[in-house]
Amino acid sequence: FLYQYFGLNFQVKVDNWVNGVAGETYTGVTARFGAILPLEVDKSVKLSAIVANPLTCCSTPSTKLSNSIALVARGDCSFEAKANLAQSNGAKALLVINDDEGTIEMGCDDDTPATNITIPIVMVPKSTGESFRKALQEGHKVEIGLWAPDRPVVSFSVAFLWLMAVSTVATASLWPEIAKTKDSEPRYDDFSPKSASDGATSKENTEEIINIDVKSAIIFVISASTFLVLLFFFMSSWFVWLLIVLFCIGGVEGMHTLIVTLISRGCTCQKKVTLPYFGETTIVSLIVLIFCLAFAIAWAITRKASFSWIGQDVLGICLMISILQVARLPNIKVATVLLCCAFVYDIFWVFLSPIIFHQSVMIAVAKGNNSGGESIPMLLRFPRLTDPWGGYDMIGFGDILFPGLLVGFSLRFDKENKKSWAGGYFIWLMVGYAFGLFFTYLGLYLMHGHGQPALLYLVPCTLGVCVVLGLIRGELKDLWNHGSSSTPAASLGGA
C-alpha cells in the first residue's frame, strides 16, 4: 500500500549466482515507481543479467535485453527514461549501479507515478554493481534474484534493548543501596547525618562525587557537538580504535568496581599483596582486575563476531553505572539546563543536520560511516533476531546517562526527605523513562526505521514528569534550589 500510493523506497535483497554458484546476498533499494517485488524468496524475480550498451541506457540499447535484468550505470538521464528504454527493449527488471557506495532515492521527473513502467527498478551500491559487471565481462553467466521481505511488525530485539536501558538506569540509581553492607553503611548512606567520627569516611566519599553545575552542563553539550562534528569529518579506523581503547579502559574500571563491591558485600576476605608500582591491594581485587582485562581484550579481538554485542553491552552497562555513581545533578535547575540542551542537541544532529551536511550527522557517526568498517562502541546493541534484514537495534549512552542523572537525583531527594515510593519522585521518573523509551521505538517503527532522537521523548517523560509532580505537590521550589545552600562535593566546571 505504501509503495503504491506514497511512492516510498524499500530495501531489496539482491541474490546472485555466477555460473550456477550462489554468491553473497547484497542490499539495494527500489525506485518510487515500477513493479512491486515479491515478499518471499521462492517468488523472487530471478533472471540472467545483461550489461546494457550504452552502459547508462540513456539511448536505445544496441544489446538485446529480452527476458533479462538490465545492468545500467547511473549516468545523466532520469531513472524514468532508463526504465522506459530498458522496458521497451524487453528487459524484465532494471538494476542501476550507483556512482558511489550507498544508494539514493529514485523518483520520477514530475514526482507523479510512472504508471506505464511495469518492471521493477532497483539501485545497488557501486561495488555491488561492479562485481556483477566484472563477472559478465569475464564471460561468466550471472543470474540475479530480487525480492523485498517485510520487516516484522514487532521486533523482540527492541524489547530486550528497552529492558537493558531501563534496568541500567534503575540499577545505577539503586546501586548505593545494592552495594551497602553493615560495615560500609555510613559510607553509602549519603542522607544520614555524619558524626565527627565519620569525618574521614565522609571526606573520602565526597571526593569521589562530581556535582554538575549550570556552566559545566552548557559547556558539556557544546563540547559534545564539537566532538560529534569532528567524528563526522575525520572519523577513520584509527580514530575508532582510539575510542575502542578508551571504551575498554572505562569498561574495565567500571566492571572491576562493580564486581569487587558485590564480592565485598558478601565476603570479608581481605588478604592483601604488595605489587610494584601499584602498592598494596587485595587478592580478590587483583583476580577481578585480571578477569576484567581479559574480558575487554577478548571483546576487542572478537568485536566483529556475531556474538560481540554481548561483551560490548556488558562493558557499556558497567561503564554507565560507574559514571552515574560519580557524576550527579544537585537540583532540578541544573537538570533543566542539561536536559534541555541535550534535547536540542539530539533533535538538531538527527533531524536538522541533513540540511547542512546532507545527511544525519548523528546517524552517520553511530553507523561508523567512513571508518573502514569499524563502528563506535559507545552504544548498547541487540541483534534483530527475527528480522530477515538482520542488523542491530542500538541506543546511545547519552540516552541512558542524561535521564539517568535526573532519576538518580530523584531517588536521593526522596531518601533525604523520607518519602514513600508512591509519594516520591523516583518511581514516577522510572515509569516516565520506560514510557519515553517506548515512545522512541514507536516513533522508529512509524518512521519506517529512520533514526529517532530518543531525548525528544525521554526529556518530556522524565524532566516533564518531575516538574509537573513538583508543581502539584508544591515542592518545585525545593527541587529547583535543592543543595544550593550547602557546599557541593565538587564541581565539574572546575574538574
Side-chain angles (χ1 to χ4, degrees), residues 224-270:
S225 295
T226 304
F227 185 68
L228 191 67
V229 173
L230 290 175
L231 279 175
F232 178 73
F233 283 110
F234 303 108
M235 186 165 59
S236 59
S237 58
W238 71 265
F239 197 90
V240 176
W241 257 111
L242 176 62
L243 294 179
I244 290 173
V245 171
L246 295 175
F247 171 75
C248 287
I249 293 173
V252 166
E253 183 177 355
M255 182 186 292
H256 178 265
T257 300
L258 300 187
I259 295 176
V260 169
T261 302
L262 290 176
I263 293 176
S264 301
R265 187 176 186 272
C267 176
T268 58
C269 179
Q270 297 294 330

Side-chain angles (χ1 to χ4, degrees), residues 215-233 239 243 338 341-346 348-350 357 361-362 365 376 397-399 401-402 455 492:
K215 179 181 177 181
S216 58
I218 296 174
I219 292 174
F220 176 79
V221 174
I222 294 174
S223 301
S225 295
T226 304
F227 185 68
L228 191 67
V229 173
L230 290 175
L231 279 175
F232 178 73
F233 283 110
F239 197 90
L243 294 179
L338 178 64
C341 287
F343 178 84
V344 174
Y345 163 90
D346 221 19
F348 177 82
W349 291 114
V350 173
F357 301 96
V361 172
M362 185 79 76
V365 170
I376 62 173
F397 284 4
D399 301 328
L401 291 174
F402 285 127
L455 293 177
L492 186 60

